[in-house]
Amino acid sequence: MSKIENIKLKLDQFVIENNEHLENFRLQFLSKKAELQELLGEIKNVAPELRKDFGQQVNQLKQYAQQLFDDYKAKLESQISYNQSDVDVFRPATGITVGSMHPVTIVMNKVCDIFEKLGFEPVSGPDIEDDWHVFSALNFAPEHPARDMQDTFFVEVNPEMLLRTHTSSIQVRTMEQNQPPIRVICPGRVFRNETITARSHCIFHQVEGLYIAENVTFADLKQVLLYFAKEMFGEETKIRLRPSYFPFTEPSAEMDIECKICGGAGCNVCKHSGWLEIMGCGMVDPNVLDNCGIDSKKYSGYAFGIGIERMTMLKYKTNDIRLYFENDIRFIQQFTAASK
Ligand code: PHE
């Protein structure tokens, strides 16, 4: 038995790094003259009551030695094939470049996160829409200028179809398919036939929001927007609501935040007013509710629409919207770290 122990120890300590070592291992443990072989021969001399146990252990040891031999052999062979092939395993690898989040995506996610915390559910809809979902259901008069070729991209093969000019179309689809309470945000890409300049582009992104329930008032809207502004731009942020007009809300307003760049004192960015416009909002016009199958006598609601590029420019203090569409990696890479 002590011989078995002894051989096991030697097996475990044997170092095999090349073919010569491997051959020595074979001679020492697996050849006809190996100690182990002798032990096999001795099984018959062992006292009968111990023979079975002894025989088992010697055989296990032999299997173990064979297994070690096979493993080392396979390992050496795989190394050999590497060394002999044309592959230069020591050549430095080409670096892996990791992408980064687009600044517009970062801000859009942040806006959605804030509203999701308040219970708004994100919903999406098609980029290519019909007149009903973009204009008619939203109370745009048939001759409203926004329908004009000047503002809207129509689909050439089917002029009934157009690229949505706002994500309010998703709100229409949501109202058509659900009854209140409705609390959704609609992030997405929108298209307007505008000249591309430092401040405007023909493609941009919006997050619009809609809340409909019983007894919703303008005060609810104002509180939600104030909360949003503070979460987005910091606790000290001040907001201002100015009367405005949209066909689908009544009353309507535009929301400004105090200019972050000059702290309200007046600068180029805020055109010396101390305020920056960041979204349109208002109480959903009862006509819109009725158009979408919601009882306007029972329910009321508010809606808002945020331009994401605008907000991204403010947040990161960039002055040219076109940078967001050129996708120059040197520009885009700057924002992932900055947003943390
Ligand atoms: N849909 C409007 C736009 O794109 C924004 C808006 C949404 C205004 C909801 C009021 C209420 O300009």
Side-chain angles (χ1 to χ4, degrees):
M1 283 303 202
S2 73
K3 279 192 186 161
I4 293 180
E5 289 289 304
N6 199 353
I7 296 176
K8 169 95 180 22
L9 207 66
K10 282 197 222 159
L11 277 172
D12 286 336
Q13 285 170 353
F14 204 98
V15 179
I16 299 180
E17 279 171 347
N18 54 36
N19 283 336
E20 204 182 319
H21 297 163
L22 188 69
E23 179 57 8
N24 289 341
F25 182 92
R26 193 188 67 77
L27 289 171
Q28 189 171 335
F29 299 107
L30 299 169
S31 69
K32 292 247 150 44
K33 284 178 224 129
E35 249 183 299
L36 230 169
Q37 210 59 42
E38 281 170 27
L39 280 187
L40 280 169
E42 269 177 43
I43 295 178
K44 60 181 185 309
N45 305 329
V46 173
E49 66 275 22
L50 296 175
R51 195 174 295 153
K52 189 170 164 224
D53 192 30
F54 180 79
Q56 256 174 10
Q57 295 214 31
V58 177
N59 274 308
Q60 268 170 16
L61 191 64
K62 191 171 174 220
Q63 273 167 22
Y64 180 63
Q66 186 65 47
Q67 187 64 49
L68 281 178
F69 179 83
D70 293 346
D71 289 352
Y72 278 118
K73 192 167 173 222
K75 201 172 149 201
L76 285 173
E77 272 166 5
S78 76
Q79 280 173 7
I80 288 162
S81 68
Y82 252 139
N83 293 339
Q84 287 172 347
S85 76
D86 294 337
V87 178
D88 177 0
V89 288
F90 299 106
R91 194 178 129 189
T94 14
I96 299 169
T97 44
V98 180
S100 58
M101 200 87 103
H102 195 287
V104 167
T105 311
I106 295 171
V107 171
M108 193 139 117
N109 288 349
K110 168 106 184 158
V111 172
C112 290
D113 283 351
I114 294 170
F115 285 107
E116 278 175 55
K117 268 197 278 181
L118 293 171
F120 286 80
E121 186 196 340
V123 284
S124 57
D127 288 11
I128 304 173
E129 269 288 7
D130 51 26
D131 177 276
W132 171 256
H133 289 97
V134 177
F135 298 126
S136 299
L138 288 161
N139 214 26
F140 280 80
E143 68 287 355
H144 193 282
R147 295 169 183 248
D148 200 284
M149 299 291 275
Q150 308 297 313
D151 281 295
T152 309
F153 288 116
F154 291 89
V155 176
E156 218 165 41
V157 289
N158 180 0
E160 304 282 294
M161 303 301 283
L162 46 99
L163 302 187
R164 67 181 177 203
T165 57
H166 51 186
T167 58
S168 305
S169 53
I170 308 175
Q171 303 182 351
V172 173
R173 287 182 180 275
T174 307
M175 287 188 277
E176 283 173 340
Q177 284 155 22
N178 299 278
Q179 281 298 309
I182 292 174
R183 186 153 43 184
V184 291
I185 39 167
C186 312
R189 198 167 14 177
V190 298
F191 308 85
R192 288 185 199 172
N193 193 357
E194 288 190 40
T195 316
I196 299 171
T197 67
R199 298 200 55 81
S200 66
H201 208 288
C202 59
I203 308 173
F204 58 100
H205 296 78
Q206 288 187 324
V207 175
E208 294 214 355
L210 174 72
Y211 177 47
I212 303 171
E214 283 179 51
N215 304 318
V216 179
T217 70
F218 203 93
D220 299 319
L221 171 62
K222 192 179 156 194
Q223 274 319 111
V224 161
L225 296 187
L226 180 61
Y227 173 81
F228 166 73
K230 289 181 174 211
E231 285 288 302
M232 192 73 201
F233 294 103
E235 189 53 35
E236 304 307 316
T237 308
K238 293 202 184 84
I239 65 166
R240 173 174 91 167
L241 290 164
R242 278 179 294 107
S244 185
Y245 172 80
F246 298 101
F248 36 88
T249 45
E250 183 59 35
S252 306
E254 239 138 349
M255 186 177 104
D256 300 339
I257 57 162
E258 200 175 53
C259 180
K260 286 277 138 189
I261 294 164
C262 60
C267 67
N268 281 344
V269 177
C270 61
K271 299 200 188 97
H272 302 281
S273 69
W275 295 92
L276 290 162
E277 181 201 319
I278 61 166
M279 70 168 95
C281 59
M283 301 306 291
V284 182
D285 192 302
N287 287 344
V288 173
L289 296 178
D290 292 332
N291 283 343
C292 299
I294 288 171
D295 183 355
S296 62
K297 293 195 182 59
K298 188 162 177 214
Y299 298 109
S300 56
Y302 61 70
F304 54 86
I306 304 167
I308 298 299
E309 277 74 4
R310 193 79 197 272
M311 192 160 287
T312 311
M313 288 170 80
L314 283 182
K315 193 165 168 59
Y316 295 123
K317 303 190 173 77
T318 48
N319 57 10
D320 195 329
I321 195 170
R322 290 169 292 198
L323 290 165
Y324 296 124
F325 296 92
E326 283 166 5
N327 284 335
D328 184 329
I329 192 78
R330 290 167 302 177
F331 173 71
I332 294 172
Q333 261 172 348
Q334 297 174 63
F335 300 96
T336 309
S339 68
K340 281 181 187 149

